[in-house]
């Protein structure tokens, strides 16, 4: 039986993604900030706070005994609405917290889990079109955009490093999705990106690419 590790599987896109893997007979190891999650016989829960180095150390230590994993979905992330206007100065506390969770914590967690991945595994991280450098989106949310641009660069670097292990590293933009983060006005249902994440993670694709709606997209 195959096993996927999904961060932030307690709700939103992470939960819907877990449900897709479960429907295909996978085992799921899921994280949430308090280790609580919804009940399913094939899901096991772990505490992970990506803002807390000790929590990352503890969870990766524990999770390493549960592998090897066939896929890792780096889904957990935050969007700080208190600093989402581009005409306002960047809030440094907001930038620090957003980078700590979306970028530094996610990288730390990933690096520590590499030993527990099968050769040939697939890592999918949740990025954002707001992290694109080449599209004129002139978006708001500076801290969030900077964090996702950094995650895109990490994806490319890691893909090169892991080529010898045949591990595919991808980043995927889910689009504006109806979750606690995206809000009820969002244009996509949570099932749409969840299906795209499952398809990407379980197919052979070139490593180090940025995906949206099943297509490769510009950085
Ligand atoms: N929704 C959108 O429109 C949209 C668009 C582009 C990209 N994305 C990306 O897609 C991913 C999932 O977003 P979502 O909309 O599903 O978000 P969400 O509904 O707000 O869920 C966020 C998930 O991340 C976990 N999380 C929050 N803070 C954490 C921390 N400090 N350490 C570890 N886990 C933490 C939460 O766990 P708890 O339940 O324990 O709090 C929860 O499971 C994120 O990376 C987001 O940036 C979303």
């Amino acid at each position: 039986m195959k096993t996927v590790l999904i961060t932030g599987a307690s709700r939103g896109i992470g939960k819907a993604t877990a449900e897709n893997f479960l429907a295909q007979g996978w085992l799921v190891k899921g994280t949430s900030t308090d280790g609580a999650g919804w009940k399913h016989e094939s899901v096991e829960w772990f505490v992970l706070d990506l803002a807390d180095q000790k929590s990352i150390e503890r969870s990766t230590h524990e999770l390493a005994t549960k592998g090897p994993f066939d896929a890792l979905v780096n889904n957990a992330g935050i969007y700080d609405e208190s600093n989402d206007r581009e005409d306002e100065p960047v809030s440094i506390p907001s930038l620090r917290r957003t980078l700590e969770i979306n970028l530094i914590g996610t990288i730390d967690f990933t690096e520590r889990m590499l030993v527990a991945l099968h050769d040939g595994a697939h890592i999918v991280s949740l990025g954002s079109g707001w992290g694109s450098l080449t599209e004129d989106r002139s978006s708001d949310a500076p801290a969030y955009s900077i964090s996702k641009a950094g995650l895109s660069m990490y994806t490319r670097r890691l893909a090169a490093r892991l080529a010898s292990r045949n591990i595919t590293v991808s980043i995927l933009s889910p689009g504006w999705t109806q979750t606690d983060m995206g809000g009820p006005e969002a244009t996509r249902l949570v099932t749409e990106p969840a299906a795209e994440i499952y398809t990407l993670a379980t197919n052979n694709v070139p490593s180090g690419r940025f995906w949206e709606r099943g297509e490769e997209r510009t950085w």
Side-chain angles (χ1 to χ4, degrees):
M1 214 175 272
K2 293 193 169 187
T3 308
V4 59
L5 169 56
I6 303 175
T7 64
S10 44
R11 52 195 170 96
I13 295 168
K15 177 173 188 267
T17 301
E19 287 166 348
N20 271 20
F21 278 94
L22 290 167
Q24 299 302 320
W26 286 57
L27 298 175
V28 173
K29 307 298 175 193
T31 78
S32 62
T33 52
D34 61 4
W38 37 279
K39 296 254 179 294
H40 187 287
E41 59 184 6
S42 299
V43 184
E44 194 177 355
W45 291 97
F46 298 84
V47 181
L48 171 66
D49 180 353
L50 288 167
D52 177 355
Q53 167 95 46
K54 290 273 175 258
S55 172
I56 295 171
E57 286 170 13
R58 271 194 302 271
S59 68
T60 52
H61 187 72
E62 207 181 338
L63 278 160
T65 66
K66 306 287 179 177
F69 298 100
D70 301 280
L72 163 63
V73 180
N74 281 320
N75 165 79
I78 60 157
Y79 169 62
D80 180 2
E81 289 183 32
S82 71
N83 183 222
D84 71 351
R85 295 279 307 278
E86 71 172 359
D87 55 355
E88 287 174 355
V90 176
S91 154
I92 298 306
S94 173
L95 180 64
R96 277 193 212 285
R97 179 155 176 83
T98 305
L99 290 180
E100 202 62 60
I101 293 168
N102 291 5
L103 186 61
I104 299 165
T106 298
I107 292 173
D108 190 3
F109 182 82
T110 305
E111 292 289 325
R112 290 170 187 273
M113 289 314 301
L114 293 181
V115 290
L117 297 184
H118 269 303
D119 286 356
H122 199 144
I123 301 171
V124 179
S125 298
L126 271 287
S128 170
W130 286 6
S132 170
L133 293 178
T134 50
E135 289 181 13
D136 181 18
R137 297 208 165 197
S138 56
S139 77
D140 299 337
Y144 183 78
S145 304
I146 292 165
S147 74
K148 294 298 185 181
L151 201 54
S152 285
M153 179 58 82
Y154 177 62
T155 299
R156 294 189 65 162
R157 302 247 159 177
L158 190 61
R161 262 174 58 208
L162 297 183
S164 59
R165 288 182 59 193
N166 195 29
I167 293 177
T168 305
V169 190
S170 303
I171 186 160
L172 178 146
S173 163
W176 188 25
T177 306
Q178 290 175 18
T179 62
D180 293 341
M181 183 188 291
E185 307 291 312
T187 51
R188 305 201 81 201
L189 297 175
V190 79
T191 47
E192 297 175 88
E196 291 158 8
I197 292 164
Y198 176 79
T199 301
L200 179 62
T202 54
N203 276 281
N204 277 328
V205 294
S207 190
R209 305 296 168 93
F210 189 13
W211 302 91
E212 189 171 306
R213 296 176 188 242
E215 306 277 340
E216 195 181 334
R217 56 156 296 160
T218 55
W219 294 101

